Amino acid sequence: QVQLVESGGGSVQAGGSLKLSCAASKSIFSNCGMAWYRQPPGKERELVSIISRDGTTSYADSVKGRFTISREDAKNTLYLQMNSLKTEDTAVYYCAACMDWVEQKYNYWGQGTQVTVSS
């Protein structure tokens, strides 16, 4: 069954803002760290930001100071607030949850949401 559902993508001009959401099942949200990844056109998927169960966060250098990851326990929802967007932020954004530390990969992925930033 569907465990992660992203929303909030769209088109925006450079300098603008968007807020992505990822609704998760309660079991995932309660037990797992979560992350946002993105895949720019023609490129590999890359890590954008991570948030642990206790709220500890980390960010890719390319988004530090512009993006904020957060989680809302009451709604079982992960967010990514994206400000000062640049054309190079154009990508399909995915949320992920529950790291398998043996396989070094996340077990659950959303379907992705497109973010397009125009100049």
Side-chain angles (χ1 to χ4, degrees), residues 50-95:
I50 292 173
I51 187 166
S52 66
R53 285 184 295 163
D54 68 2
T56 302
T57 61
S58 63
Y59 297 90
D61 288 344
S62 59
V63 306
K64 277 181 184 175
R66 300 188 298 121
F67 290 12
T68 303
I69 191 171
S70 62
R71 49 193 299 163
E72 186 173 355
D73 293 350
K75 294 187 177 181
N76 297 326
T77 300
L78 175 73
Y79 300 103
L80 186 68
Q81 177 67 48
M82 305 185 294
N83 298 328
S84 303
L85 282 160
K86 305 176 181 180
T87 55
E88 52 263 44
D89 294 319
T90 294
V92 178
Y93 284 72
Y94 299 88
C95 65

Side-chain angles (χ1 to χ4, degrees), residues 2-110:
V2 177
Q3 305 274 13
L4 300 173
V5 180
E6 300 105 334
S7 61
S11 297
V12 64
Q13 287 195 321
S17 298
L18 281 174
K19 187 174 184 177
L20 305 183
S21 300
C22 175
S25 65
K26 184 174 176 59
S27 62
I28 286 176
F29 200 83
S30 299
N31 295 297
C32 295
M34 301 183 75
W36 287 100
Y37 281 75
R38 67 185 181 186
Q39 187 165 17
K43 296 184 178 180
E44 297 289 317
R45 188 177 297 186
E46 61 187 22
L47 178 64
V48 175
S49 183
I50 292 173
I51 187 166
S52 66
R53 285 184 295 163
D54 68 2
T56 302
T57 61
S58 63
Y59 297 90
D61 288 344
S62 59
V63 306
K64 277 181 184 175
R66 300 188 298 121
F67 290 12
T68 303
I69 191 171
S70 62
R71 49 193 299 163
E72 186 173 355
D73 293 350
K75 294 187 177 181
N76 297 326
T77 300
L78 175 73
Y79 300 103
L80 186 68
Q81 177 67 48
M82 305 185 294
N83 298 328
S84 303
L85 282 160
K86 305 176 181 180
T87 55
E88 52 263 44
D89 294 319
T90 294
V92 178
Y93 284 72
Y94 299 88
C95 65
C98 305
M99 170 63 78
D100 181 328
W101 295 104
V102 174
E103 297 290 333
Q104 286 292 297
K105 65 178 181 66
Y106 282 94
N107 286 326
Y108 301 101
W109 292 85

